[in-house]
Amino acid sequence: MRSLGVCWALLLGLLGQQPAPAPGLSPGKSTSLDFEFFKTKVQPIFLAKRPGHARCVVCHAGETGPAIFRLQPLSAGSATWDDEQSRKNYEATLRVVSPGDLKSPLLVHPLAKAAGGDFFHSGGKHFSSQNDPEWQILKEWVLGETSNSQARSR
């Protein structure tokens, strides 16, 4: 019985550990992801129309969207989200991202398998290459790009 208690203690200890920073995270980059970069660069990707695919928001918004990544539905007559909805979308998107991890579901799920994506996305593979400009924006955000660092690089 004592060994069972030790096993539980070890298991709880392991589960309570914080993961090490992901190897793809650049030195000096934050492990938290920038909301403004998300709002101005990432979030518009969820609204973009791509030939042969539904927009991300069509499948991922509202009560019918998958629980792991559920965006806010657009308000009637709106072409984009307001600040409160954007904040909720940011929180939802964080559930499919590990800062600095290029294997985050946000990156690999909509990416073609031949380009390094995972095996299935019911909405199709929106990006055929890691060179796709929208995929590059998602990657920049996952790697810790911020609105401030974008402004400094200009």
Side-chain angles (χ1 to χ4, degrees), residues 46 56-57 59-73 81 85 87-96:
F46 303 149
C56 302
V57 67
C59 297
H60 286 277
E63 293 303 313
T64 59
I68 188 74
F69 182 47
R70 185 174 294 154
L71 300 169
Q72 295 298 298
W81 293 281
Q85 292 169 320
R87 182 60 69 178
K88 289 178 180 178
N89 286 343
Y90 172 78
E91 295 297 328
T93 307
L94 290 177
R95 290 194 291 268
V96 292

Side-chain angles (χ1 to χ4, degrees), residues 39-126:
K39 184 177 164 185
T40 60
K41 304 283 187 184
V42 173
Q43 193 171 236
I45 293 170
F46 303 149
L47 296 171
K49 293 180 181 177
R50 291 175 204 87
H53 297 284
R55 299 179 304 153
C56 302
V57 67
V58 171
C59 297
H60 286 277
E63 293 303 313
T64 59
I68 188 74
F69 182 47
R70 185 174 294 154
L71 300 169
Q72 295 298 298
L74 291 169
S75 298
S78 294
T80 191
W81 293 281
D82 63 28
D83 285 341
E84 181 182 347
Q85 292 169 320
S86 292
R87 182 60 69 178
K88 289 178 180 178
N89 286 343
Y90 172 78
E91 295 297 328
T93 307
L94 290 177
R95 290 194 291 268
V96 292
V97 171
S98 294
D101 186 355
L102 294 178
K103 296 295 184 186
S104 291
L106 181 69
L107 295 176
V108 298
H109 210 48
L111 181 64
K113 191 168 194 266
D118 63 11
F119 68 96
F120 180 73
H121 178 231
S122 61
K125 297 298 189 170
H126 289 254

